[in-house]
Amino acid sequence: TMLGSAAASLKRLATSPRVSHLEFTKGFDNDGNRITVNPRYNVNYDHMDVVMTYDADDTLITVTASKDDQEVTISQQLNDDNVLSPTISRDGSLSLAWDRKLGDHNSVRTTLNPNRSVEVEWKDEAWTANVNFPMEEDSMKGATVHIKRDVRF
C-alpha cells in the first residue's frame, strides 16, 4: 500500500546516519484563528512528541505531549512589548515566563520556576547573556552566567 511504502521510506530515512531529527508541521485556519500540529522525532534519543498550538489574536495556547510528559503554556500578549506565559506540566510543576522587547531586536526573557530557579536571557544585538539563579531554601548559591556573541562572516 502507499501508506506502508511511505512508512518504510520514512524508517529508512530515520535510520540514516545523517538524520538526527524528523518533524512535520500542518496548520490550518479555524474561524480566523490558527491551529498547528507538529509531530517530532529525535532519532538519536528515540524520543517522539507532538506540539499543538491554537493562536487566537493575542493568546497562544501550546500543548507539548509525549508518552512520558505533557505541558500546557498559555501566552498572553499584554501590549507590543510584553508577553506573559504561564506553563503547567503533568507533574504539577509551574513556571512563569515574561518576555519583554527592548527594541532593535533586543529582548529580555525572565522565567520563574518556583522552588527551583530564576532564569534570565538577555539578547542585545549579537550578544546573549544567560543567568540562572537556583533556589535552594534561603541561598542563591550556584548561580551561573553564560555570555556569547554571534559572529557572522
Side-chain angles (χ1 to χ4, degrees):
T1 68
M2 185 158 76
L3 184 57
S5 64
S9 296
L10 185 58
K11 186 171 184 171
R12 278 193 305 276
L13 179 64
T15 57
S16 166
R18 294 174 287 185
V19 175
S20 63
H21 296 83
L22 292 172
E23 68 178 274
F24 305 94
T25 301
K26 175 65 178 169
F28 56 93
D29 293 323
N30 179 26
D31 197 25
N33 303 314
R34 185 82 177 149
I35 298 171
T36 62
V37 178
N38 174 219
R40 307 179 300 187
Y41 178 61
N42 184 314
V43 176
N44 297 332
Y45 295 102
D46 193 28
H47 181 264
M48 194 177 296
D49 68 3
V50 63
V51 178
M52 297 169 285
T53 64
Y54 180 75
D55 193 348
D57 297 321
D58 292 337
T59 304
L60 175 66
I61 300 170
T62 304
V63 177
T64 304
S66 69
K67 69 178 186 173
D68 299 321
D69 197 17
Q70 301 82 42
E71 71 177 28
V72 177
T73 301
I74 302 172
S75 299
Q76 182 65 46
Q77 178 107 26
L78 302 176
N79 55 37
D80 289 343
D81 297 327
N82 294 283
V83 176
L84 284 180
S85 303
T87 298
I88 186 166
S89 296
R90 181 181 69 93
D91 65 2
S93 62
L94 300 169
S95 68
L96 177 63
W98 172 29
D99 294 292
R100 174 142 176 94
K101 292 180 186 174
L102 303 174
D104 296 327
H105 307 290
N106 302 324
S107 63
V108 173
R109 179 181 183 100
T110 305
T111 305
L112 170 64
N113 302 293
N115 300 319
R116 291 180 291 160
S117 66
V118 175
E119 301 165 4
V120 179
E121 180 178 72
W122 179 9
K123 293 184 178 183
D124 189 353
E125 295 187 17
W127 291 94
T128 301
N130 289 286
V131 182
N132 182 291
F133 300 99
M135 291 182 179
E136 296 178 14
E137 296 182 20
D138 297 336
S139 173
M140 294 292 271
K141 291 181 184 175
T144 58
V145 177
H146 298 277
I147 299 173
K148 71 176 183 176
R149 179 176 169 85
D150 290 333
V151 179
R152 305 199 190 258
F153 295 95

